[in-house]
Every structure is written in C-alpha cells, then in structure tokens.
Amino acid sequence: MASVYRYEKGAVTAAEREVVAEVPVVLHVNGRELATLIASPHELRFLVAGFLRLQGLVDRVEDFNALSVCDDHGIASAQVKKELPEKLKPVLTSGCGTGISFSIPRVDAAQSAAESGKTYTPAAVFSMMDGLARKAQGYQTHGGMHSAAVGDGDVLLYSEDLGRHNTIDRIAGEALLKGIDLSGMMLVTSGRVSTELVAKAALLGIAVVASRTSPTGTAVKMAEEAGITMIGYVRADRFDVYSHPERLELAGAGS
C-alpha cells in the first residue's frame, strides 16, 4: 500500500492505494550471472523456467539439473545440461520496464507447430478473452499489470506480471514444469502484440494469438510467416484478423 493525495472534484484528501510490486531477480545459470529479470514477485519459478526455455537453454524438465529461486533475496540459480555460449548479446525488448532477451528467433511456417489442423470459432475467441478479464485480479485491484492466458476456448493457464513479455515466459515455464503441451492452442493477451511475443508463441506451437489491442506491423509479418492466426482489437462482439483467417470458422458465425 502507498499513501497518496487524491484530488477529486476540487478537493484533496489523504488515502491509501495498492501499487504494483516489482522485484529484480538475478539469474545465475551454470554458475554464471546471466541476466537480471524485472518482474512481479509471485511464482518466480515459472518465470525463470520459461525464460530459459524460450532462450533455448532447456527444452524439457530433464534438461534441468537443478532450479532454485530465493524470493527473499531476488536470486535464482539454475544448472542446465546445455553449455552456455561463450558470448551472449542481450536484446532489449519492448516490454514494460524493458525486458531482456538474448535472441529473438526467426520463425517460419516450416518450423512452427502452429500448422495443426485445429480451428477455432469466434465464440472461442470471445470466451478466452472473457476468461482473461475475469482472472485479471492484479489489474482489477490496482492496475499497471499485463495478463495472458492459453487454452482452446476455456483458459488452461493464466499469468500476470508488470512486464508483458514476462506473462508469456511464465506460461511457458508453468507448461514446461507441469508437462503441458501448448501446440495448437490459443494465446490471449491484454497488451500490444510485438515481434518477441509472436516469436515466443511460435516456439510454443501456439496457433492463434489474440489481443485486446493491436499487433505491430512486424509482428503481423512474423505471424504470417509462422502460420499463426493474429487477432487484434477483441471486443464484446467483434475483432480484426490480420493473418491466417482460414483457422477461424467465420462462415455462419452468427448462427
């Protein structure tokens, strides 16, 4: 909680208001300091596992020799079977608080698992976005949070974080540690869809990405190449489709 001065209708009063919490998490991998992740302070194990998965350092739970997170001191340590490259060039992403990545992989239709024959109805898109809104506890309480979810009409996994990119890492990590295959599923997000989000979705085999807001132009191009259906501006009864509309059962959608 934070003490604030609230101005309302010409009057100033003292009040208490919840604020977004953020913590730095210093990540060591195989004894080497790899990165400092700025994140919300819950379920950091999922965040770290997903970050390492989407950086290509682990593919399965068995690729971890050890994984520990000390929430009190903001330190995470992982021992993985793969050797780290001698040099890693960090890439600053467009997420809130400035995210970090070491690679934004190139994806194409041949690499992406999003080529599955699974299709989705508009009702499934609206259902997923409604589920995301219902679960967005942090945003409802104090704002300043991003959220994401995956499922096939019903929400299977959900995450929220102050960083948009972190929400995808959290889902990737939880799915990895719980042995959940995300191939062919839909990802819904509260934030703008950028290239790093599409790249991460492609690595997870996501078939559809839908957002309340807009994708960037480069993200649309990447989604087209990766075989991902990109949907933006989802509202109560409408949305815009930017790529691969054939995955949506649009004919007779009103029936």
Side-chain angles (χ1 to χ4, degrees):
M1 298 293 288
S3 298
V4 299
Y5 292 100
R6 178 169 297 160
Y7 177 84
E8 185 176 7
K9 298 179 180 178
V12 177
T13 56
E16 295 288 319
R17 186 175 182 88
E18 287 198 44
V19 293
V20 176
E22 64 176 340
V23 296
V25 182
V26 181
L27 173 59
H28 294 83
V29 180
N30 293 355
R32 176 177 165 189
E33 185 174 324
L34 188 67
T36 298
L37 309 177
I38 306 299
S40 300
H42 66 280
E43 296 288 6
L44 294 175
R45 186 171 59 106
F46 293 154
L47 173 66
V48 171
F51 178 81
L52 294 176
R53 177 184 185 181
L54 294 175
Q55 295 306 310
L57 297 177
V58 296
D59 298 311
R60 305 171 303 157
V61 172
E62 291 78 13
D63 292 334
F64 285 104
N65 291 325
L67 174 62
S68 64
V69 179
C70 180
D71 295 343
D72 293 339
H73 295 89
I75 297 175
S77 177
Q79 292 287 331
V80 301
K81 288 184 169 62
K82 289 186 179 181
E83 291 188 10
L84 299 184
E86 185 176 343
K87 292 185 179 181
L88 288 168
K89 182 179 179 181
V91 178
L92 297 180
T93 71
S94 60
C96 291
T98 305
I100 187 172
S101 176
F102 294 102
S103 63
I104 297 179
R106 181 183 180 276
V107 294
D108 54 39
Q111 295 173 316
S112 176
E115 292 182 303
S116 68
K118 187 173 180 61
T119 60
Y120 286 92
T121 64
V125 177
F126 296 132
S127 175
M128 285 291 295
M129 197 60 75
D130 288 344
L132 180 70
R134 287 195 301 271
K135 288 180 174 292
Q137 300 280 335
Y139 184 83
Q140 293 168 10
T141 303
H142 45 66
M145 299 283 281
H146 287 287
S147 56
V150 292
D152 58 2
D154 296 318
V155 171
L156 176 63
L157 298 177
Y158 168 81
S159 72
E160 64 180 9
D161 196 282
L162 61 92
R164 182 176 67 247
H165 53 283
N166 287 351
T167 63
I168 312 305
D169 288 353
R170 287 178 179 277
I171 285 175
E174 184 173 1
L176 176 68
L177 296 180
K178 293 183 176 180
I180 298 172
D181 183 4
L182 300 181
S183 297
M185 290 195 181
M186 184 190 309
L187 166 71
V188 292
T189 176
S190 62
R192 182 183 70 252
V193 180
S194 53
T195 51
E196 67 267 20
L197 189 149
V198 175
K200 291 178 178 184
L203 289 174
L204 296 171
I206 295 295
V208 178
V209 174
S211 172
R212 292 175 184 159
T213 60
S214 66
T216 67
T218 309
V220 171
K221 181 179 178 182
M222 183 179 284
E224 184 67 41
E225 293 173 349
I228 293 174
T229 301
M230 175 71 71
I231 301 172
Y233 294 108
V234 181
R235 299 295 185 266
D237 59 356
R238 63 179 174 85
F239 53 73
D240 296 334
V241 185
Y242 292 82
S243 64
H244 294 284
E246 68 275 6
R247 188 171 282 110
L248 300 173
E249 301 173 23
L250 298 178
S255 61

